[in-house]
Amino acid sequence: MKRYRNGEIWDFEHHVPLALAARDVILGLDGGTTSTVCICMPVIPFSDPLPDRPHVLARAVAGCSNHNSVGEAAARETLEQVMAEALLKSGSNRSAVRAVCLAVSGVNHPTDQERILDWLRDIFPTHVGLYVQNDAVAALASGTMGKLHGCVLIAGTGTIAYGFTEDASQALTAVIKAHDGRGSHTRLTSSILQSLDLSSPDELIGWTYADPSWARIAALVPVVVSCAEAGDDVANRILYDSVEELASSVKAVVRRLDLGGEDGKHSFPLVMVGGVLEANKRWDIGKEVVKYINKDYPGVISIRPKVEPAVGAAWLAWNFFMKESLRGCLKS
């Protein structure tokens, strides 16, 4: 275990009482483009089942930890800072850690995992189980209590891969088309312009290109839902198209992994995460997505997690560590 180049991050460890430091803990981290959350949980005995509501000793929050967004050095500093803060708040130190799972956006290849694992090995003692996953895996685990089986559908700010923010872009396209006469008249025009404090649909083009980040565009989803609930045909069509696209992305995963079995009736969990999937007054996008999926895969079981993805990462850490420990016991 090496000392971090900015050693002050871990200086608090010199002042942790031995009695507290002796308590074994797990770290679970959910790192994304918007924020990074790390939770510290006590170790759960192998013989005990994972509780539905885990005991969280401490929770720490930091900014972006996606290396594609902020660069490798800044991402690592954020990750290390938030882990140190969680241990500090819990009254623990690195010697008390038994397992760590970093579930970080931007980890899309084994080389990404290995690079982060090499860095973690420099931070933690050799007895610590270290695991790195994509942040979507932690979202799945938050609904399956750490079991890697099923599908996860994330629909919220920054979730382009699953397609919903793209449909917010369709809303912008609909406004432009209505403005130049190619599309139907829609109340989205006035609603989006008012939301963005713009005076003309022409200004939407400049607004989009000034900062084309999906987080800005995804923030318009509530405007689309509001217009749809008020009876706007274009907004309703956008949402129905969105539902179909989201359902299609899930069905593609189910087909590839054969989760539904040959007849499509095998049960499998579908973990649904993100504010877009929450019910509104009339529109329940998550419920509509499940209806579409259910036509082809009646065994789908939708799950809305009761815990945050960082807890899912901690569950993953403990499950991975437990399996490795049991394998070690069987070999000896």
Side-chain angles (χ1 to χ4, degrees):
M1 178 174 70
K2 298 179 183 176
R3 187 176 179 85
Y4 180 68
R5 64 178 67 88
N6 295 327
E8 65 273 9
I9 286 182
W10 298 103
D11 280 349
F12 73 90
E13 292 183 320
H14 301 304
H15 310 291
V16 176
L18 290 176
L20 286 176
R23 176 180 54 190
D24 291 344
V25 297
I26 313 163
L27 291 179
L29 187 147
D30 171 43
T33 304
T34 306
S35 65
T36 301
V37 177
C38 182
I39 64 110
C40 181
M41 285 171 42
V43 159
I44 304 159
F46 284 179
S47 57
D48 293 358
L50 289 174
D52 290 338
R53 293 283 186 176
H55 176 46
V56 175
L57 297 172
R59 181 178 187 270
V61 183
C64 174
S65 57
N66 184 323
H67 66 92
N68 292 322
S69 299
V70 297
E72 195 82 22
R76 289 184 178 185
E77 185 159 357
T78 297
L79 292 169
E80 189 157 6
Q81 183 68 60
V82 79
M83 289 188 290
E85 185 180 344
L87 286 174
L88 170 62
K89 287 182 175 180
S90 69
S92 303
N93 62 26
R94 286 174 288 177
S95 296
V97 178
R98 288 294 166 267
V100 178
C101 179
L102 267 58
V104 189
S105 65
V107 175
N108 302 311
H109 192 272
T111 56
D112 297 324
Q113 290 177 306
E114 196 54 43
R115 189 173 63 253
I116 297 175
L117 282 170
D118 285 342
W119 166 69
L120 285 174
R121 292 183 189 111
D122 284 344
I123 297 174
F124 288 95
T126 55
H127 71 265
V128 181
L130 303 171
Y131 314 97
V132 176
Q133 300 287 337
N134 182 272
D135 60 337
V137 181
L140 171 64
S142 69
T144 62
M145 298 186 72
K147 296 176 183 175
L148 292 182
H149 176 74
C151 290
V152 60
L153 176 60
I154 307 172
T157 300
T159 55
I160 317 162
Y162 293 88
F164 198 87
T165 50
E166 189 170 304
D167 294 303
S169 293
Q170 287 182 22
L172 299 183
T173 303
V175 171
I176 296 296
K177 284 184 177 179
H179 174 60
D180 66 15
R182 289 179 293 130
S184 305
H185 175 75
T186 171
R187 74 169 63 219
L188 280 172
T189 302
S190 59
S191 296
I192 287 181
L193 292 179
Q194 182 178 357
S195 175
L196 300 179
D197 196 25
L198 300 177
S199 58
S200 164
D202 290 328
E203 295 179 25
L204 274 176
I205 298 172
W207 179 88
T208 303
Y209 283 101
D211 179 4
S213 64
W214 288 108
R216 290 174 81 230
I217 296 174
L220 294 174
V221 170
V223 178
V224 181
V225 172
S226 177
C227 290
E229 289 177 344
D232 187 88
D233 289 339
V234 175
N236 269 291
R237 191 158 61 246
I238 287 172
L239 291 181
Y240 278 118
D241 288 346
S242 303
V243 165
E244 194 167 349
E245 285 298 316
L246 288 169
S248 295
S249 69
V250 171
K251 289 193 285 188
V253 173
V254 174
R255 279 195 300 272
R256 183 161 186 172
L257 299 179
D258 197 27
L259 290 171
E262 290 185 9
D263 58 1
K265 296 180 180 179
H266 289 195
S267 63
F268 62 90
L270 170 61
V271 179
M272 308 183 75
V273 178
V276 170
L277 296 173
E278 295 174 1
N280 292 278
K281 293 176 184 176
R282 187 175 67 84
W283 259 98
D284 187 336
I285 294 175
K287 186 177 179 180
E288 293 298 323
V289 168
V290 173
K291 279 183 184 178
Y292 267 85
I293 297 169
N294 194 63
K295 293 176 184 177
D296 295 317
Y297 298 101
V300 61
I301 302 170
S302 64
I303 299 171
R304 296 180 189 259
K306 297 177 181 178
V307 298
E308 63 181 330
V311 173
W315 279 338
L316 281 172
W318 189 236
N319 282 344
F320 288 146
F321 185 70
M322 184 173 63
K323 288 176 182 177
E324 288 185 2
S325 299
L326 290 174
R327 277 198 295 266
C329 290
L330 291 174
K331 288 180 180 178
S332 59

